[in-house]
Amino acid sequence: SLKKKFNMNADQFRQRGKELIDYIADYLENMEIHRVTPNVEPGYLKPLLPKDAPHQSEEWETIFQDFKEKILPGVTHWQHPRFHAYFPAGNSYPSILGELLSAGLGTVGFSWAASPSCTELETIVLDWLGRMLNLPKSLLPEPSAKQDFTQTDINGNSFAHNLNGQSATQNSQLKGGGVILGSASECVLVSLLSARNCTLRKLKSEHPFVEDGHLLSKLVMYTSKLAHSCVEKAGMIAMVKIRILEPDDNYSLRGDTLDKAISSDISNGLVPFFVSCTLGTTSCCSFDNLVEIGPICGREDIYLHVDAAYAGSALVCEELRFFSNGLEVKDKFKLTEALSVDPIYLRYKEMDKAIDYRHWGIALSRRFRSLKIWFTLRSYGVEGIQKYIREHVRLAKFFEKLILSDDRFEILGKVTLGLVCFRLKGPNFLSQNLLFELNDSGLIHMVPSMLGHKYVIRLCVNSERATENDMGEAWKIIRLFADSVIEKYELENGKLFSKECSQSALKLKRMRFSLSKMASDPKSYNQKKFMRTPTIFDVTGKYLAKKCSFVQDDEEES
């Protein structure tokens, strides 16, 4: 008998690769045939797959058929035109091809020697990106006197630049640079760990006989209540105290709020050392006031981190740069110093002339991610990316007008980029029931947020191919289900906006749901009593929806 082949050979790879490219293109071009979210329950997949991995190799046709029949039905389609949850996943044909090439090369670029082009391309594309976004020159990778040639940044400033990003004599004061990390969460954590390291070293030099643990217990960081939960998680990992500060009426963290908290903590013997601000919060795309906060951090020698994971890309458009005032760099060398570990097996003779990005993050192993950026920037060009972002902003404004055309709805927060936060006027449970029914339908997908004590529904323009027709279809679906939710309520309770309310309605108005940010980001603050139940009730006690967690509070909802 013929001996069975255990590995896919080059000819098979060519065939299956072409088939897979066709499949991906067909999938992306015909997304509307799918439900936005899968109609499955947790644990659906386990009984469909074997308990153990196969002992012998299987045919590709069998493997891929199982993907289509068992895996795909459990996929949430993030590129669907009616996927309006979270923020855009940033998918495109050039980036997919860059990902494919990166996987094919199989590079692990933890140092320049491990793959010179992997390191150098990362420096170059991040310099491109920084100048596209009009970042301050101090944030850009350092120019070099070696192999130098004159370039002009987006502000018209001339500087020398080389592939490795080392310092040039004419620009020796620049302290910037960039690195590609795995997520915004990792960026926050790396910044925090670096700031903690530098602060502890300084404290240790001032108090050499005090134990490290005691010094660590004095450190305190600050962030807004609307900051992403990854900031609080980073504080937990770093084992430092965290102060959650209230934003103002425009959902922005202000300087006076931070200043008061810092003064209070200093008077109590604590050491403020880190502030995390957000440009484009997850909850409502609000912007912390860097112009006020930056000088306070400078005065108190506090490290300032700016999370612009969503809104940052909008800086490529000149008219959207209003929120970037106050950006500045502390010192990249503090970052690399904090995470630098140099075992002998990672050293090489050129290391004093090159960047090693392993010192700029937690992970040692690094993929060739810069290829994706390089392919994307060259394929779209700056104009193409500007057009992409401006269209999302335009469509969000278009959807805002649709919402405002129906006086049953209201919008909370300013529609600045591609996010619209809206709700049904009245008690929170109306908007919550509306969202539950919308998501259960599979026709559209959105997630909630809490702004103050009001439960809102977030609609973010995510799809690259989104059109006005898609916004109109989303509005049609929302209005249809809103009619149903309101009708159910009014059949049993009379006119929705009547001044008369039953005792049970008043009690329900005092419930604040523990969804302070998003369904994927459940955090609530100042909880008095936490209650988890598999159901939610309307004012008559009738079961309306499932999977609700809420906090009972003495404060009434609007």
Side-chain angles (χ1 to χ4, degrees):
S1 61
L2 295 175
K3 185 177 180 180
K4 190 170 184 177
K5 295 181 179 180
F6 290 93
N7 293 310
M8 180 181 286
N9 60 33
D11 290 337
Q12 292 171 328
F13 175 73
R14 286 188 181 95
Q15 177 189 348
R16 301 309 182 186
K18 292 172 184 176
E19 292 173 358
L20 195 54
I21 291 292
D22 287 340
Y23 177 85
I24 292 171
D26 290 340
Y27 166 78
L28 292 174
E29 294 298 320
N30 298 282
M31 189 69 67
E32 289 90 344
I33 66 174
H34 300 283
R35 283 175 54 106
V36 183
T37 52
N39 188 21
V40 298
E41 292 292 332
Y44 91 96
L45 188 57
K46 186 175 181 179
L48 301 180
L49 299 180
K51 183 178 180 180
D52 298 310
H55 185 65
Q56 294 184 329
S57 64
E58 297 182 80
E59 296 294 333
W60 173 260
E61 290 86 350
T62 303
I63 299 170
F64 196 65
Q65 189 63 31
D66 277 351
F67 164 78
K68 291 189 289 186
E69 294 179 355
K70 299 172 183 178
I71 308 298
L72 188 62
V75 168
T76 296
H77 301 285
W78 280 61
Q79 306 306 318
H80 198 289
R82 289 190 297 281
F83 180 91
H84 297 294
Y86 317 115
F87 283 130
N91 202 13
S92 69
Y93 289 128
S95 71
I96 294 171
L97 294 177
E99 182 84 35
L100 178 62
L101 189 56
S102 174
L105 293 174
T107 298
V108 184
F110 48 78
S111 69
W112 180 88
S115 184
S117 62
C118 182
T119 295
E120 297 191 8
L121 185 62
E122 185 161 340
T123 303
I124 291 169
V125 298
L126 289 174
D127 187 38
W128 285 5
L129 187 61
R131 285 184 280 129
M132 286 169 54
L133 302 180
N134 198 40
L135 296 181
K137 191 168 66 172
S138 59
L139 286 173
L140 300 178
E142 290 188 79
S144 173
K146 212 170 189 181
Q147 293 185 10
D148 64 332
F149 57 93
T150 301
Q151 292 188 355
T152 303
D153 69 13
I154 201 163
N155 295 311
N157 302 310
S158 297
F159 61 88
H161 181 72
N162 89 325
L163 298 180
N164 295 325
Q166 300 302 311
S167 60
T169 55
Q170 69 190 82
N171 291 280
S172 59
Q173 300 305 311
L174 295 182
K175 299 180 180 181
V179 60
I180 302 172
L181 298 179
S183 66
S185 300
E186 188 178 353
C187 294
V188 173
L189 178 59
V190 166
S191 300
L192 177 60
L193 292 177
S194 302
R196 187 191 71 169
N197 177 76
C198 296
T199 305
L200 286 176
R201 286 190 180 189
K202 179 182 177 182
L203 290 175
K204 193 66 176 178
S205 68
E206 297 171 353
H207 309 280
F209 303 109
V210 178
E211 292 184 358
D212 292 351
H214 182 71
L215 294 177
L216 178 61
S217 70
K218 297 291 185 180
L219 300 187
V220 58
M221 60 179 287
Y222 306 86
T223 194
S224 166
K225 182 177 180 179
L226 294 180
H228 196 274
S229 68
C230 68
V231 178
E232 187 173 352
K233 181 180 285 188
M236 294 167 63
I237 295 173
M239 295 187 293
V240 297
K241 293 179 175 63
I242 180 168
R243 292 283 182 263
I244 307 295
L245 305 178
E246 287 288 337
D248 66 9
D249 292 340
N250 293 316
Y251 312 112
S252 173
L253 179 61
R254 302 298 298 273
D256 57 347
T257 302
L258 175 65
D259 206 11
K260 291 176 183 177
I262 290 173
S263 298
S264 175
D265 286 335
I266 290 176
S267 66
N268 289 325
L270 298 178
V271 180
F273 79 107
F274 185 83
V275 175
S276 182
C277 292
T278 307
L279 295 181
T281 60
T282 299
S283 293
C284 62
C285 195
S286 58
F287 302 90
D288 293 336
N289 196 315
L290 299 184
V291 173
E292 296 177 355
I293 292 171
I296 295 172
C297 292
R299 182 194 73 204
E300 301 292 341
D301 196 25
I302 293 175
Y303 290 88
L304 173 62
H305 172 76
V306 179
D307 176 5
Y310 170 61
S313 59
L315 295 177
V316 73
C317 301
E318 294 87 347
E319 71 275 16
L320 298 175
R321 290 175 181 163
F322 60 89
F323 60 80
S324 66
N325 295 331
L327 281 176
E328 58 184 23
V329 66
K330 188 69 177 176
D331 196 337
K332 86 169 184 188
F333 296 109
K334 300 287 180 65
L335 169 68
T336 57
E337 181 185 60
L339 300 175
S340 179
V341 179
D342 257 332
I344 190 170
Y345 53 81
L346 294 179
R347 296 177 183 175
Y348 54 96
K349 65 179 182 179
E350 301 93 351
M351 63 186 302
D352 61 330
K353 302 176 183 178
I355 290 176
D356 284 345
Y357 283 118
R358 59 190 169 91
H359 299 314
W360 295 50
I362 296 170
L364 172 63
S365 298
R366 309 188 78 254
R367 297 171 56 210
F368 207 158
R369 287 193 180 99
S370 57
L371 275 177
K372 295 184 66 176
I373 302 177
W374 192 60
F375 275 49
T376 302
L377 293 183
R378 294 190 64 180
S379 297
Y380 282 79
V382 176
E383 288 183 350
I385 293 174
Q386 289 174 330
K387 180 180 178 182
Y388 174 90
I389 291 172
R390 286 169 177 151
E391 180 64 4
H392 275 200
V393 175
R394 188 187 72 82
L395 291 175
K397 294 288 187 180
F398 177 78
F399 183 78
E400 177 187 27
K401 291 179 181 178
L402 295 178
I403 289 289
L404 294 177
S405 68
D406 190 327
D407 60 8
R408 299 175 300 174
F409 290 86
E410 63 178 334
I411 289 178
L412 271 67
K414 187 176 180 181
V415 179
T416 306
L417 299 180
L419 179 66
V420 183
C421 294
F422 67 96
R423 68 190 299 271
L424 279 170
K425 295 176 181 177
N428 279 339
F429 69 85
L430 286 173
S431 295
Q432 187 184 46
N433 288 338
L434 172 59
L435 181 60
F436 284 165
E437 294 197 12
L438 286 167
N439 286 342
D440 286 345
S441 73
L443 297 173
I444 193 171
H445 186 45
M446 297 175 289
V447 292
S449 179
M450 289 293 291
L451 297 178
H453 299 311
K454 290 188 175 182
Y455 183 103
V456 298
I457 301 172
R458 300 170 69 262
L459 182 140
C460 189
V461 184
N462 288 333
S463 174
E464 179 185 1
R465 303 169 182 82
T467 65
E468 285 189 5
N469 287 338
D470 293 320
M471 297 298 101
E473 183 65 23
W475 174 234
K476 178 181 176 182
I477 295 168
I478 291 167
R479 192 168 53 181
L480 177 66
F481 280 88
D483 291 342
S484 175
V485 168
I486 293 173
E487 182 181 1
K488 289 178 183 177
Y489 177 89
E490 293 186 338
L491 282 175
E492 300 179 3
N493 302 282
K495 187 173 176 59
L496 176 59
F497 301 111
S498 169
K499 293 183 179 180
E500 296 181 359
C501 297
S502 64
Q503 281 296 101
S504 55
L506 289 172
K507 182 178 180 180
L508 193 57
K509 288 177 68 178
R510 297 187 178 101
M511 292 180 179
R512 179 176 50 193
F513 301 101
S514 66
L515 291 163
S516 63
K517 296 184 179 68
M518 298 167 52
S520 65
D521 188 17
K523 273 289 178 184
S524 58
Y525 301 96
N526 302 320
Q527 294 182 359
K528 295 185 179 179
K529 182 179 179 183
F530 182 78
M531 190 185 312
R532 185 170 294 277
T533 173
T535 55
I536 180 172
F537 307 86
D538 70 1
V539 293
T540 64
K542 179 181 177 182
Y543 297 123
L544 287 183
K546 299 179 179 179
K547 303 175 185 175
C548 169
S549 301
F550 58 84
V551 177
Q552 189 170 321
D553 203 335
D554 293 331
E555 302 174 48
E556 290 194 3
E557 305 293 350
S558 300

mmCIF file of all heavy atoms in Angstrom, residues 299-315:
data_model
loop_
_atom_site.group_PDB
_atom_site.id
_atom_site.type_symbol
_atom_site.label_atom_id
_atom_site.label_comp_id
_atom_site.label_asym_id
_atom_site.label_seq_id
_atom_site.Cartn_x
_atom_site.Cartn_y
_atom_site.Cartn_z
ATOM 1 N N ARG A 299 4.448 69.510 36.245
ATOM 2 C CA ARG A 299 4.765 70.170 37.515
ATOM 3 C C ARG A 299 5.071 69.160 38.619
ATOM 4 O O ARG A 299 5.998 69.346 39.411
ATOM 5 C CB ARG A 299 3.574 71.038 37.925
ATOM 6 C CG ARG A 299 3.763 71.840 39.207
ATOM 7 C CD ARG A 299 2.427 72.364 39.679
ATOM 8 N NE ARG A 299 1.593 71.310 40.225
ATOM 9 C CZ ARG A 299 0.256 71.358 40.281
ATOM 10 N NH1 ARG A 299 -0.394 72.397 39.773
ATOM 11 N NH2 ARG A 299 -0.415 70.370 40.822
ATOM 12 N N GLU A 300 4.313 68.061 38.650
ATOM 13 C CA GLU A 300 4.462 67.060 39.712
ATOM 14 C C GLU A 300 5.414 65.933 39.330
ATOM 15 O O GLU A 300 5.588 64.992 40.100
ATOM 16 C CB GLU A 300 3.085 66.466 40.055
ATOM 17 C CG GLU A 300 2.057 67.476 40.513
ATOM 18 C CD GLU A 300 2.409 68.083 41.865
ATOM 19 O OE1 GLU A 300 3.227 67.475 42.602
ATOM 20 O OE2 GLU A 300 1.881 69.179 42.176
ATOM 21 N N ASP A 301 6.027 66.019 38.144
ATOM 22 C CA ASP A 301 6.942 64.979 37.654
ATOM 23 C C ASP A 301 6.231 63.622 37.598
ATOM 24 O O ASP A 301 6.736 62.597 38.074
ATOM 25 C CB ASP A 301 8.189 64.890 38.527
ATOM 26 C CG ASP A 301 9.311 64.115 37.838
ATOM 27 O OD1 ASP A 301 9.322 64.058 36.588
ATOM 28 O OD2 ASP A 301 10.159 63.534 38.556
ATOM 29 N N ILE A 302 5.047 63.634 36.993
ATOM 30 C CA ILE A 302 4.216 62.430 36.858
ATOM 31 C C ILE A 302 4.215 61.995 35.400
ATOM 32 O O ILE A 302 4.129 62.820 34.490
ATOM 33 C CB ILE A 302 2.773 62.722 37.336
ATOM 34 C CG1 ILE A 302 2.762 62.990 38.838
ATOM 35 C CG2 ILE A 302 1.837 61.571 36.995
ATOM 36 C CD1 ILE A 302 1.397 63.412 39.360
ATOM 37 N N TYR A 303 4.298 60.705 35.182
ATOM 38 C CA TYR A 303 4.286 60.171 33.821
ATOM 39 C C TYR A 303 2.862 60.184 33.272
ATOM 40 O O TYR A 303 1.922 59.770 33.954
ATOM 41 C CB TYR A 303 4.844 58.744 33.801
ATOM 42 C CG TYR A 303 6.321 58.708 34.075
ATOM 43 C CD1 TYR A 303 6.795 58.639 35.384
ATOM 44 C CD2 TYR A 303 7.239 58.772 33.039
ATOM 45 C CE1 TYR A 303 8.151 58.629 35.649
ATOM 46 C CE2 TYR A 303 8.598 58.754 33.289
ATOM 47 C CZ TYR A 303 9.053 58.688 34.601
ATOM 48 O OH TYR A 303 10.390 58.682 34.849
ATOM 49 N N LEU A 304 2.725 60.666 32.045
ATOM 50 C CA LEU A 304 1.411 60.771 31.402
ATOM 51 C C LEU A 304 1.336 59.807 30.215
ATOM 52 O O LEU A 304 2.160 59.887 29.300
ATOM 53 C CB LEU A 304 1.173 62.206 30.927
ATOM 54 C CG LEU A 304 -0.087 62.457 30.094
ATOM 55 C CD1 LEU A 304 -1.343 62.133 30.894
ATOM 56 C CD2 LEU A 304 -0.124 63.897 29.600
ATOM 57 N N HIS A 305 0.358 58.906 30.260
ATOM 58 C CA HIS A 305 0.104 58.001 29.140
ATOM 59 C C HIS A 305 -1.193 58.417 28.464
ATOM 60 O O HIS A 305 -2.180 58.735 29.133
ATOM 61 C CB HIS A 305 -0.031 56.553 29.627
ATOM 62 C CG HIS A 305 -0.490 55.607 28.560
ATOM 63 N ND1 HIS A 305 0.335 55.152 27.566
ATOM 64 C CD2 HIS A 305 -1.701 55.043 28.321
ATOM 65 C CE1 HIS A 305 -0.330 54.348 26.754
ATOM 66 N NE2 HIS A 305 -1.573 54.264 27.190
ATOM 67 N N VAL A 306 -1.199 58.438 27.131
ATOM 68 C CA VAL A 306 -2.395 58.810 26.377
ATOM 69 C C VAL A 306 -2.857 57.611 25.557
ATOM 70 O O VAL A 306 -2.129 57.138 24.685
ATOM 71 C CB VAL A 306 -2.126 60.013 25.445
ATOM 72 C CG1 VAL A 306 -3.390 60.348 24.659
ATOM 73 C CG2 VAL A 306 -1.656 61.215 26.247
ATOM 74 N N ASP A 307 -4.043 57.116 25.863
ATOM 75 C CA ASP A 307 -4.641 56.001 25.139
ATOM 76 C C ASP A 307 -5.515 56.568 24.020
ATOM 77 O O ASP A 307 -6.552 57.165 24.273
ATOM 78 C CB ASP A 307 -5.483 55.159 26.108
ATOM 79 C CG ASP A 307 -6.232 54.016 25.424
ATOM 80 O OD1 ASP A 307 -6.031 53.819 24.203
ATOM 81 O OD2 ASP A 307 -7.015 53.328 26.101
ATOM 82 N N ALA A 308 -5.052 56.391 22.786
ATOM 83 C CA ALA A 308 -5.822 56.861 21.630
ATOM 84 C C ALA A 308 -6.056 55.700 20.675
ATOM 85 O O ALA A 308 -5.944 55.844 19.451
ATOM 86 C CB ALA A 308 -5.100 58.001 20.934
ATOM 87 N N ALA A 309 -6.397 54.540 21.241
ATOM 88 C CA ALA A 309 -6.515 53.314 20.442
ATOM 89 C C ALA A 309 -7.549 53.451 19.333
ATOM 90 O O ALA A 309 -7.374 52.892 18.245
ATOM 91 C CB ALA A 309 -6.865 52.133 21.349
ATOM 92 N N TYR A 310 -8.636 54.183 19.591
ATOM 93 C CA TYR A 310 -9.659 54.377 18.556
ATOM 94 C C TYR A 310 -9.472 55.703 17.825
ATOM 95 O O TYR A 310 -9.303 55.749 16.607
ATOM 96 C CB TYR A 310 -11.056 54.325 19.173
ATOM 97 C CG TYR A 310 -12.155 54.750 18.211
ATOM 98 C CD1 TYR A 310 -12.373 54.061 17.027
ATOM 99 C CD2 TYR A 310 -12.952 55.858 18.479
ATOM 100 C CE1 TYR A 310 -13.367 54.454 16.129
ATOM 101 C CE2 TYR A 310 -13.951 56.261 17.602
ATOM 102 C CZ TYR A 310 -14.148 55.550 16.426
ATOM 103 O OH TYR A 310 -15.125 55.941 15.537
ATOM 104 N N ALA A 311 -9.451 56.789 18.564
ATOM 105 C CA ALA A 311 -9.484 58.111 17.935
ATOM 106 C C ALA A 311 -8.156 58.518 17.320
ATOM 107 O O ALA A 311 -8.113 59.407 16.463
ATOM 108 C CB ALA A 311 -9.926 59.162 18.958
ATOM 109 N N GLY A 312 -7.068 57.912 17.731
ATOM 110 C CA GLY A 312 -5.757 58.332 17.256
ATOM 111 C C GLY A 312 -5.607 58.322 15.751
ATOM 112 O O GLY A 312 -4.982 59.223 15.167
ATOM 113 N N SER A 313 -6.187 57.339 15.099
ATOM 114 C CA SER A 313 -6.048 57.246 13.644
ATOM 115 C C SER A 313 -6.719 58.412 12.930
ATOM 116 O O SER A 313 -6.352 58.755 11.805
ATOM 117 C CB SER A 313 -6.648 55.925 13.144
ATOM 118 O OG SER A 313 -8.026 55.831 13.486
ATOM 119 N N ALA A 314 -7.690 59.064 13.586
ATOM 120 C CA ALA A 314 -8.389 60.196 12.961
ATOM 121 C C ALA A 314 -7.489 61.407 12.803
ATOM 122 O O ALA A 314 -7.820 62.334 12.051
ATOM 123 C CB ALA A 314 -9.624 60.569 13.780
ATOM 124 N N LEU A 315 -6.346 61.421 13.476
ATOM 125 C CA LEU A 315 -5.427 62.554 13.358
ATOM 126 C C LEU A 315 -4.835 62.663 11.966
ATOM 127 O O LEU A 315 -4.200 63.681 11.643
ATOM 128 C CB LEU A 315 -4.306 62.435 14.393
ATOM 129 C CG LEU A 315 -4.726 62.528 15.868
ATOM 130 C CD1 LEU A 315 -3.526 62.310 16.771
ATOM 131 C CD2 LEU A 315 -5.380 63.870 16.156
#
